[in-house]
Amino acid sequence: MSTTRGARQLTIKEVASHAGVSPMTVSRTLAGGRNVRPDLQERVMAAVRELGYYRNENARSLRPGQPSGLVGVAITNLANPYYGNFALGVEEVAAEHGRRILLGNTGEDDARERQLVSDFIGRQVDGLILVPTSGDAAHLRPERLGDVPLVLASRRVPGLDVDTVLLDDVGGSYRGTISLLDAGHTRIGFLGNRSSVFTGERRYRGYEQAMTERGVPIDPTIVARDQQDVEAASRAARAMLDREDAPTAIFSANNRNTIGALREIGRRIRDGLPGPRPAIVSFDDFELSELMPVPVTVIDHDARLLGREAAILLFSRLDDDSLDPAARTVELPVTVEHP
Amino acid sequence: MSTTRGARQLTIKEVASHAGVSPMTVSRTLAGGRNVRPDLQERVMAAVRELGYYRNENARSLRPGQPSGLVGVAITNLANPYYGNFALGVEEVAAEHGRRILLGNTGEDDARERQLVSDFIGRQVDGLILVPTSGDAAHLRPERLGDVPLVLASRRVPGLDVDTVLLDDVGGSYRGTISLLDAGHTRIGFLGNRSSVFTGERRYRGYEQAMTERGVPIDPTIVARDQQDVEAASRAARAMLDREDAPTAIFSANNRNTIGALREIGRRIRDGLPGPRPAIVSFDDFELSELMPVPVTVIDHDARLLGREAAILLFSRLDDDSLDPAARTVELPVTVEHP
DNA sequence: CTGTTAGCGCATTCAG
DNA sequence: CTGAATGCGCTAACAG
């Protein structure tokens, strides 16, 4: 019979008396059974099964030095498939290490990020993995975090020198832009995030490097760097393509801008509007890119791998005390895939 | 100075002595400050800030009756944007209720689901939200879960009568199929999950109802119900479209099958293969559906809302003891969007 | 190999 | 309004 709400959970004592042993024998058995007679272990396990006992992990981690087995993960936007994959990668590695993840969504909100980090620490997480919102670093300083290791993913925080996993944003953008230049394009538009966003800045830099290297001037009238969502990206693409001297190719620095640009291009084709049908290079993959009405080159990468690497960095710190305390950076490669 | 790993966390005692009060005054202040002199509260808060103290939530929830503030969430595949949105919906509502989520990915694996549920209970979660993998229900029975409320999402578990949030799978599939019949199609293929998958069964039923109602016989040679991924879906579509009597329209029961079918259709168009260019009805939305080379009708729904509703069901149980204990089902509407 | 004692951090209870 | 004592579930450390 199920009792009313708030019924006390079973404790190790109940199991002990049911099995006719002391609580310590139960504890030892559950901890692996070292130094416990096999027949007693049997009895304990039987009692555990019959009663449906679950060990209270919170009580367990109360004693000092005991890890909680929890990792706090804060990402900016779970609705973005990119971060879903990222979270999956983290979860997989955490599971392999017997850890569980506490997940929070910051929505690019600094205050929310601070709240989450505080709460995670209050819950005694063994470590933190964070896709930081660009803001400041005060709440992430070691003296605030105590001895809880932190790994940053996707972005850095200015003035914070900790383990970080990044993509090769600059290199990927450079190579993608070069591929357009190689194809003979010289009017290449840019769609991306504002420069205060870490990846926004890096991806623009790759574009800039390629253009400069080939001696092609950057025309600021076909550079739009302030679109966070599909709607804004569509509008920016529209403004560019409505110009007399519209670009013949567009470099899009992320998935949201790519989708927006393609929506606008599709609209122009359906409506029979004149003007170029620009080739696209897209940082971030998306499904069915091969079915698009204009050729789309994709700068592809693996968000799940990024998550896995972040978790690996974290657990290397947790499991190896003798590790060099210097911050490490892992920069994952990206691939340029032609249509 | 940061101390070595395993340094004891700050406790309420340190804060108390720093502020020159007793631990209880700190505790009361942190609990809202009822019955504490304002000036003492000031001193306590100052000490908390200076020392960077975080209350130990685990110790706090150790006392009986105290909620942990944690909700266990297990979903089948975080890499699927659908479940990313679902998780986001849950997280949002949980945050509104001051709760945090423990997230696990089951990968459609029964054993993993059982592990996750055990661990969640061991961590004293206040409730569980689960997208169940079809398997059996033994580990989800009330007697195993103690008094931890459970909400199922997207799917039911046979023989388990608990709060559940579903989509209107049958109705959506029915209306989608009807729209094809109304357009004059009579050879309508079906791509979907096997019938042991809850939604696979329901979505097929909607298709079947519409066909039967209109007196159009279902041809089993153009019904493929065993594709779990894009690759398999592509192959199934290919087999159908290679037939003499290929379908002129395809009902696809989920996103993975839709992408697979469209890949195959795109290939046939690029390669100039003969045969029909089938119209598609897709259960599940996807981006840029309007740019596809064949008309795509989308049966759209909101995964985030599904997550929100699941969380709302859960918190209504947690926050309202007088709630009718009978299991509730919420079935969310879907919309049929023509191209 | 097994049991007893003690204490982790906090908040409820009861005294002042 | 404040403080001291007590115990939540569990396990190291120490007996036996």
Side-chain angles (χ1 to χ4, degrees):
Chain A
M1 233 340 254
S2 176
T3 43
T4 56
R5 277 281 308 295
R8 251 183 46 267
Q9 291 261 347
L10 282 175
T11 76
I12 207 170
K13 277 189 192 161
E14 272 113 327
V15 177
S17 65
H18 194 86
V21 296
S22 80
M24 265 319 291
T25 299
V26 177
S27 174
R28 284 195 257 256
T29 300
L30 262 28
R34 281 181 53 77
N35 293 347
V36 182
R37 249 166 43 213
D39 59 313
L40 286 188
Q41 292 194 42
E42 288 291 337
R43 267 164 49 200
V44 168
M45 293 315 287
V48 165
R49 271 193 305 278
E50 277 172 44
L51 268 40
Y53 167 77
Y54 299 96
R55 187 163 56 174
N56 183 330
E57 294 296 330
N58 290 350
R60 214 160 112 75
S61 70
L62 196 55
R63 42 192 43 260
Q66 286 293 325
S68 66
L70 292 175
V71 174
V73 179
I75 65 186
T76 51
N77 181 15
L78 246 188
N80 186 334
Y82 180 78
Y83 289 115
N85 274 289
F86 174 81
L88 179 60
V90 174
E91 201 268 353
E92 284 173 352
V93 174
E96 290 161 16
H97 288 254
R99 261 83 160 208
R100 211 60 65 209
I101 68 175
L102 270 170
L103 184 74
N105 197 69
T106 62
E108 302 281 3
D109 177 353
D110 267 37
R112 178 94 182 105
E113 178 179 301
R114 280 194 295 276
Q115 269 176 24
L116 281 171
V117 169
S118 306
D119 187 87
F120 288 162
I121 293 180
R123 293 185 187 281
Q124 314 302 115
V125 294
D126 299 333
L128 289 168
I129 293 179
L130 207 65
V131 178
T133 76
S134 6
D136 85 321
H139 62 297
L140 300 177
R141 287 265 143 60
E143 60 268 27
R144 298 285 295 145
L145 258 34
D147 58 352
V148 179
L150 167 66
V151 173
L152 298 180
S154 250
R155 309 172 180 174
R156 281 192 200 285
V157 175
L160 196 63
D161 191 35
V162 299
D163 288 345
T164 306
V165 207
L166 300 173
L167 292 177
D168 178 17
D169 295 295
V170 181
S173 299
Y174 170 85
R175 282 152 53 210
T177 307
I178 285 287
S179 81
L180 288 174
L181 291 161
D182 280 345
H185 293 283
T186 52
R187 281 197 69 71
I188 304 176
F190 181 94
L191 295 174
N193 281 122
R194 66 176 60 108
S195 64
S196 63
V197 176
F198 183 77
T199 52
E201 175 55 22
R202 279 161 61 93
R203 293 177 189 178
Y204 181 77
R205 208 187 316 150
Y207 162 83
E208 187 177 47
Q209 267 179 22
M211 297 287 273
T212 306
E213 186 179 303
R214 292 292 174 92
V216 178
I218 294 178
D219 177 356
T221 61
I222 55 171
V223 169
R225 302 182 65 182
D226 200 16
Q227 305 82 244
Q228 302 269 27
D229 56 54
V230 171
E231 199 47 54
S234 239
R235 280 196 306 272
R238 184 171 192 162
M240 259 178 221
L241 295 171
D242 274 343
R243 300 178 60 84
E244 283 290 309
D245 53 353
T248 62
I250 292 179
F251 179 94
S252 163
N254 59 49
N255 178 291
R256 298 296 81 190
N257 276 286
T258 303
I259 303 292
L262 285 166
R263 286 238 169 102
E264 172 60 15
I265 292 168
R267 188 186 70 84
R268 301 174 87 86
I269 292 176
R270 274 198 309 283
D271 294 356
L273 295 183
R277 304 291 181 239
I280 303 277
V281 168
S282 167
F283 209 112
D284 292 344
D285 187 22
F286 63 101
E287 284 182 324
L288 300 177
S289 60
E290 78 274 19
L291 261 53
M292 292 299 115
V294 293
V296 178
T297 297
V298 162
I299 302 170
D300 195 16
H301 51 268
D302 190 341
R304 182 164 161 187
L305 191 59
L306 197 77
R308 293 191 64 95
E309 287 294 333
I312 288 169
L313 282 184
L314 181 64
F315 290 123
S316 70
R317 288 234 179 267
L318 291 178
D319 298 339
D320 180 2
D321 291 328
S322 63
L323 197 65
D324 182 346
R328 297 161 293 171
T329 294
V330 174
E331 197 165 283
L332 294 181
V334 302
T335 62
V336 178
E337 288 166 10
H338 297 283
Chain B
M1 236 337 254
S2 176
T3 44
T4 56
R5 276 281 304 298
R8 251 182 46 267
Q9 291 261 346
L10 282 177
T11 76
I12 206 171
K13 277 189 192 161
E14 273 114 327
V15 177
S17 65
H18 194 87
V21 296
S22 81
M24 266 320 294
T25 298
V26 178
S27 175
R28 283 195 256 257
T29 301
L30 261 28
R34 280 181 52 78
N35 294 346
V36 181
R37 250 167 40 213
D39 58 315
L40 286 189
Q41 292 195 43
E42 288 290 338
R43 264 162 52 197
V44 168
M45 293 315 287
V48 165
R49 270 193 305 276
E50 277 172 44
L51 267 41
Y53 167 77
Y54 298 96
R55 189 162 57 174
N56 184 330
E57 294 297 328
N58 290 350
R60 215 159 113 75
S61 71
L62 196 55
R63 17 195 62 258
Q66 285 293 327
S68 66
L70 292 176
V71 174
V73 179
I75 65 186
T76 51
N77 180 16
L78 247 187
N80 186 333
Y82 181 77
Y83 289 116
N85 275 288
F86 174 81
L88 178 60
V90 174
E91 201 268 353
E92 285 172 352
V93 175
E96 289 161 16
H97 288 254
R99 262 82 161 209
R100 212 59 66 208
I101 68 175
L102 269 169
L103 185 75
N105 197 69
T106 63
E108 302 280 4
D109 177 352
D110 268 37
R112 178 97 181 105
E113 178 180 301
R114 280 194 296 277
Q115 270 177 23
L116 280 171
V117 169
S118 305
D119 188 88
F120 288 162
I121 293 180
R123 293 185 187 279
Q124 314 302 113
V125 294
D126 300 333
L128 288 168
I129 293 179
L130 206 63
V131 178
T133 76
S134 5
D136 86 322
H139 63 295
L140 300 177
R141 287 267 143 60
E143 61 269 26
R144 299 284 295 144
L145 259 34
D147 58 351
V148 179
L150 167 66
V151 174
L152 298 181
S154 250
R155 310 170 178 174
R156 280 192 200 284
V157 174
L160 196 64
D161 191 34
V162 299
D163 289 345
T164 305
V165 209
L166 300 173
L167 292 177
D168 178 16
D169 296 294
V170 180
S173 300
Y174 170 85
R175 281 153 53 211
T177 307
I178 285 287
S179 81
L180 289 174
L181 292 161
D182 280 345
H185 294 283
T186 53
R187 283 198 67 71
I188 304 176
F190 181 94
L191 294 174
N193 281 120
R194 65 176 61 107
S195 64
S196 63
V197 175
F198 184 77
T199 52
E201 175 55 22
R202 280 160 62 94
R203 293 177 190 179
Y204 181 76
R205 207 187 315 150
Y207 163 82
E208 188 177 46
Q209 267 180 22
M211 298 287 272
T212 306
E213 186 179 302
R214 293 291 174 91
V216 179
I218 293 177
D219 178 354
T221 62
I222 54 170
V223 169
R225 300 182 66 183
D226 200 17
Q227 306 79 244
Q228 302 269 28
D229 56 53
V230 170
E231 199 46 53
S234 240
R235 281 195 305 272
R238 184 171 191 165
M240 260 179 221
L241 295 172
D242 274 342
R243 299 178 61 85
E244 283 291 309
D245 53 352
T248 61
I250 293 178
F251 179 93
S252 164
N254 59 50
N255 176 292
R256 298 295 81 190
N257 276 286
T258 303
I259 303 294
L262 286 166
R263 286 237 171 103
E264 172 60 16
I265 292 169
R267 189 187 68 85
R268 301 175 87 86
I269 292 176
R270 272 198 309 282
D271 295 356
L273 294 182
R277 305 291 180 239
I280 303 278
V281 168
S282 166
F283 208 112
D284 292 343
D285 188 22
F286 63 101
E287 283 183 324
L288 300 177
S289 61
E290 78 274 19
L291 261 52
M292 292 299 113
V294 293
V296 179
T297 298
V298 162
I299 303 170
D300 195 17
H301 51 269
D302 189 341
R304 181 165 164 187
L305 191 58
L306 198 77
R308 294 190 64 95
E309 286 294 333
I312 288 168
L313 281 185
L314 181 64
F315 291 122
S316 69
R317 287 234 180 269
L318 291 177
D319 298 338
D320 180 2
D321 292 327
S322 64
L323 197 64
D324 182 346
R328 297 161 291 171
T329 294
V330 174
E331 197 165 284
L332 295 181
V334 302
T335 63
V336 178
E337 288 167 9
H338 297 282

